[in-house]
Amino acid sequence: MNILFWLVVTAVVVNGLVAGISFDVAAVKLPTRQRIGVIAYARFARGNDMGNGIVVYPTIAILALLLVAAATIAAYLMRMSNAVMFPLFAACGGTIAHFLCTAKAAPNMLSLRNAADDEAFLASKLDAFATWHAYRALFQFLTFVALIWALVAISQVA
């Protein structure tokens, strides 16, 4: 198999991990605040998202971005067919949308770092984070699907 195939395989794996983490946050972590309360959840988020998450989440997202870009550039330089390029361009679009949503979501989460335990303020910030995270999770899932589509298309060319 050629370098493009392995770039896309790696992009699928890393983007699958990003999408999985995003799903976990949306389906498991964020609903927890309804059970434990906003202040307790904010304290958890300070330890989680501003703990290891402050390094892990951006690192894996940037790696995913670089892999999608590298695969798309490689496919372009190899003059791959539209059947390969279209899903790769879709993955690029999903990645860009994911980062735009992150630009809206992250400041809300980061604002919790030094915030007082004011329930109304924390609820407002967590609600805004949850909204933007939902959009981000959708784009991450669509990017993952586009990359699988690209992988299938590349496999049919090889």
Side-chain angles (χ1 to χ4, degrees):
M1 293 286 167
N2 63 31
I3 186 100
L4 177 60
F5 175 82
W6 291 110
L7 274 171
V8 176
V9 165
T10 307
V12 166
V13 170
V14 172
N15 276 276
L17 189 56
V18 172
I21 290 167
S22 188
F23 178 77
D24 177 61
V25 170
V28 178
K29 289 180 182 162
L30 284 173
T32 299
R33 73 186 165 126
Q34 306 304 326
R35 290 188 294 282
I36 67 173
V38 172
I39 293 172
Y41 187 84
R43 290 178 180 162
F44 164 76
R46 289 177 188 125
N48 184 68
D49 296 304
M50 267 79 60
N52 290 348
I54 202 88
V55 174
V56 173
Y57 296 152
T59 300
I60 196 165
I62 291 167
L63 178 58
L65 166 79
L66 294 173
L67 287 165
V68 169
T72 304
I73 291 167
Y76 178 79
L77 293 174
M78 295 171 70
R79 301 187 189 281
M80 297 301 290
S81 70
N82 287 341
V84 172
M85 293 307 301
F86 184 79
L88 287 174
F89 284 143
C92 286
T95 300
I96 291 166
H98 157 240
F99 272 88
L100 291 173
C101 291
T102 297
K104 292 291 197 174
N108 289 293
M109 184 57 72
L110 293 172
S111 72
L112 304 181
R113 176 180 279 174
N114 298 314
D117 286 341
D118 174 341
E119 195 164 332
F121 175 80
L122 296 174
S124 167
K125 292 299 182 175
L126 288 169
D127 287 345
F129 174 80
T131 298
W132 284 106
H133 180 74
Y135 291 122
R136 178 171 65 175
L138 173 64
F139 288 120
Q140 289 169 338
F141 174 74
L142 293 174
T143 299
F144 178 66
V145 170
L147 287 168
I148 291 172
W149 178 12
L151 187 59
V152 170
I154 290 164
S155 298
Q156 292 174 345
V157 170

